[in-house]
Amino acid sequence: MLTKYQQFFTGRPTEEIAQSLLGKQIVYTNSDGTKTGGLIVETEAYLGENDSASHAFNGCRTNYSESLYGNPGNIYIYQIRGHYCFDVVVQDAEEPQGVLIRGLEPTVNQEQMATNRGMNSFNVSNGPAKLVQALGIHSRELDGKPLETSPLTIDITSGKKPREIVTGSRIGVNLKGKDGRKPYRFYVKGNPYVSGLRKREMNLEDYGWEG
């Protein structure tokens, strides 16, 4: 039987899960006890074997992507061009769908996150590889681990509510693929930690949150 935590990541469309993660807080506890974290402001949905942008497209299953076939709420960390990115596995085991965490608004130990990145401003975590580096994760050690009990967690019980969610096509995928332009990217409108957001689009008053 799935735990309540695992149930959050299944039982509804992956696109819906991706949107429900906006405003939820990620916290990572390093080996020395240092915590870093932030609010999720941008996600992308990947719909498994039938999605041309998915690592599991056409049933491709390798040792590298095996974690995608695990339980809902598990971590899938992969490397691209020397950088690490972080997906949450969603749907039932053996159904390789996932949600990529693309943008993070720092809220926990912001100074450490800036140090980890070697820079300040919104560039600290306005991209999938940037946010993993900002959290202080530099390997695939957590790959396949359940978020519920790992040093990298997501608080699914609370968080902030986006005033408006923008839907668009995913970034960095093969646009010529059959699903390359599908509207599977979601972000908090105006939040400056959204990747590629232009300055004139930023809401610097409340970052796009309600209340």
Side-chain angles (χ1 to χ4, degrees):
M1 180 177 293
L2 296 177
T3 66
K4 288 183 178 180
Y5 195 92
Q6 291 173 328
Q7 290 173 15
F8 179 89
F9 294 104
T10 190
R12 50 191 170 143
T14 296
E15 306 97 295
E16 185 178 328
I17 296 172
Q19 292 179 72
S20 70
L21 283 170
L22 296 174
K24 298 294 188 288
Q25 182 163 262
I26 291 176
V27 175
Y28 174 60
T29 306
N30 207 328
S31 57
D32 64 3
T34 301
K35 293 182 183 294
T36 49
L39 300 172
I40 300 170
V41 301
E42 182 181 7
T43 59
E44 287 180 347
Y46 288 86
L47 275 56
E49 296 181 348
N50 293 319
D51 182 350
S52 65
S54 169
H55 290 178
F57 182 50
N58 276 343
C60 179
R61 185 169 185 169
T62 67
N63 289 336
Y64 194 87
S65 63
E66 183 63 25
S67 295
L68 266 179
Y69 291 81
N71 288 321
N74 282 9
I75 296 167
Y76 174 45
I77 293 182
Y78 64 91
Q79 194 172 18
I80 182 168
R81 292 188 291 275
H83 301 287
Y84 296 99
C85 298
F86 161 45
D87 278 35
V88 181
V89 178
V90 301
Q91 307 307 343
D92 296 334
E94 299 300 315
E95 175 57 53
Q97 300 193 34
V99 175
L100 171 66
I101 310 301
R102 275 205 64 95
L104 202 66
E105 178 186 322
T107 56
V108 179
N109 207 346
Q110 299 174 41
E111 291 184 1
Q112 183 61 52
M113 294 178 72
T115 299
N116 291 344
R117 283 277 293 137
M119 63 178 63
N120 288 296
S121 80
F122 305 126
N123 285 322
V124 167
S125 49
N126 64 343
K130 294 177 183 180
L131 70 87
V132 171
Q133 185 180 20
L135 289 170
I137 297 171
H138 306 290
S139 74
R140 298 187 70 216
E141 182 179 356
L142 297 174
D143 181 59
K145 301 290 193 298
L147 281 167
E148 194 167 11
T149 57
S150 81
L152 177 63
T153 64
I154 298 178
D155 182 358
I156 61 171
T157 62
S158 61
K160 289 192 174 183
K161 186 176 181 181
R163 181 174 289 109
E164 184 176 345
I165 295 174
V166 179
T167 300
S169 56
R170 294 169 293 190
I171 297 174
V173 303
N174 180 6
L175 297 179
K176 295 181 180 179
K178 71 178 183 66
D179 303 304
R181 299 184 184 276
K182 290 288 182 65
Y184 294 157
R185 174 178 172 239
F186 311 97
Y187 64 88
V188 179
K189 184 178 181 180
N191 191 286
Y193 289 94
V194 171
S195 58
L197 202 67
R198 290 169 290 194
K199 194 169 184 179
R200 66 175 180 272
E201 299 173 312
M202 295 180 180
N203 175 354
L204 299 180
E205 293 184 7
D206 56 30
Y207 288 9
W209 303 114
E210 285 191 358

